[in-house]
Amino acid sequence: MKYDFDEVVPRRGTNSYKWDTPEEEGVLPMWVADMDFRTAPAVTEALRRRVEHGIFGYTKVPDAYYESVVRWFADRHSWRIEPQWILYTSGVVPALSAVVKALTRPGDKVIVQTPAYNCFFSSIRNNGCKLSASPLVCREGRYTIDFDDLEARAADPQAKLLLLCNPHNPAGRVWTAGELRRVGEICLRHGVFVLSDEIHCELTYAGHDYTPFASICERFRRNSVTCVSPSKAFNIAGLQIADIIASDDGIRRRIDRAVNINEVCDVNPFGVVATMAAYDEGAEWLDALRAYLWENYLCVKRFFAERLPDYPILPLEGTYLVWIDCRASGVGSDRTTRLLEEAKVLVNSGTMYGPGGEGFLRLNIACPRSLLVEGLERMAGVLAPFRHL
């Protein structure tokens, strides 16, 4: 393999949020969504050249940055973006918060399809809005959208915004164009604007193509904004950069104002350089990464089928976050405490992802396979005794 994803790169003691948050020695972190792989060589080389310059003052984002973003989404996803639609900011979570601030008033309802990424809830709460949770339906081991429930929630006069997750974290779904079209039509029918978090868009697997919500038709494009970043796919979250894509001039001005009010309007030089390198030169590395992650997922599926059959692994269409169903085993999401204390494995409890997350665990599989297998073996030692409770 041209890229060595099997290499174990020590991260403890590097002020890694993922690795250095657990205070106890020997903990294997398989929780927060960053990867244990070095980023693409093209990104590292671009950053090295920038470091050698030695001056890191305030950054002016160049035209070439916008060109890189536009070209990537056109070539990779057949989505035509105009450079002027792009607003840069320091991350997707700050972007979500700024958009909620710009397009709602305190007391408005924001629809979220749950279980959902936990920061959705804080972005809604921090802007004085109310959560309207539309539960996804888990049937025969796969999540689908409850369109009747979504329609009813969108019809509520207080509902102003749908916070869409595409691909979905933590359910692992890559919504099809048909599903997104039904979502979009419901929102248009009831005057609900769509805020689409598409940060995991590059991490999809064979047979599950990512469809940008705004690319489906002009009506959806004008009734939505999209938040993207290379941070997940290229493992550069610490460089703090993301883009808000809004085609409507009036909407974009309101969001730009909110970005400035929230003081997340500046980015650092490394985020700019890394984004350009990733989008201009990182496609081959990304494809190799996706192939490796898919093999990791198959490894997890085999392990659970053989050793922990009472814990179904949900299909992974996108992301590197495996959703584990613990409900039939009688083991709840609170088992994360025991996994940490007895197995020294840190995973995410499903309860943090809101209604519908109870009884699930989220496992980050973006690590060298040797660490993955070690983590699975540790988990089995704790989970297996509870299989028949």
Side-chain angles (χ1 to χ4, degrees), residues 247-281:
S247 67
D248 183 273
D249 293 342
I251 293 291
R252 191 169 60 254
R253 282 194 294 270
R254 290 165 64 182
I255 295 170
D256 189 36
R257 176 62 178 156
V259 166
N260 281 269
I261 290 172
N262 284 2
E263 301 289 2
V264 289
C265 49
D266 292 319
V267 291
N268 72 71
F270 302 113
V272 174
V273 165
T275 296
M276 293 167 62
Y279 286 163
D280 292 347
E281 305 174 69

Side-chain angles (χ1 to χ4, degrees), residues 31-67:
W31 62 306
V32 67
D34 76 11
M35 300 190 289
D36 293 323
F37 309 119
R38 287 193 172 98
T39 188
V43 173
T44 303
E45 178 59 22
L47 291 171
R48 183 190 63 77
R49 291 194 301 267
R50 184 64 184 85
V51 167
E52 287 178 351
H53 183 261
I55 300 174
F56 313 113
Y58 297 118
T59 297
K60 182 179 185 297
V61 176
D63 290 343
Y65 173 90
Y66 300 97
E67 293 165 3

Side-chain angles (χ1 to χ4, degrees), residues 150-223:
L150 180 60
E151 181 103 41
R153 292 181 183 279
D156 183 341
Q158 287 186 285
K160 304 300 181 183
L161 194 67
L162 167 67
L163 217 173
L164 177 69
C165 196
N166 175 40
H168 193 277
N169 168 22
R173 278 297 316 277
V174 177
W175 304 121
T176 66
E179 288 170 317
L180 293 174
R181 186 173 293 277
R182 289 186 69 182
V183 168
E185 294 292 349
I186 288 171
C187 289
L188 282 174
R189 212 161 27 242
H190 299 288
V192 173
F193 198 85
V194 178
L195 167 54
S196 191
D197 173 2
E198 302 189 358
I199 193 172
H200 290 279
C201 66
E202 311 302 343
L203 298 168
T204 63
Y205 305 107
H208 303 287
D209 294 331
Y210 153 68
T211 301
F213 177 82
S215 73
I216 295 176
C217 66
E218 183 180 356
R219 293 181 305 142
F220 290 3
R221 172 169 60 77
R222 296 187 69 84
N223 194 54

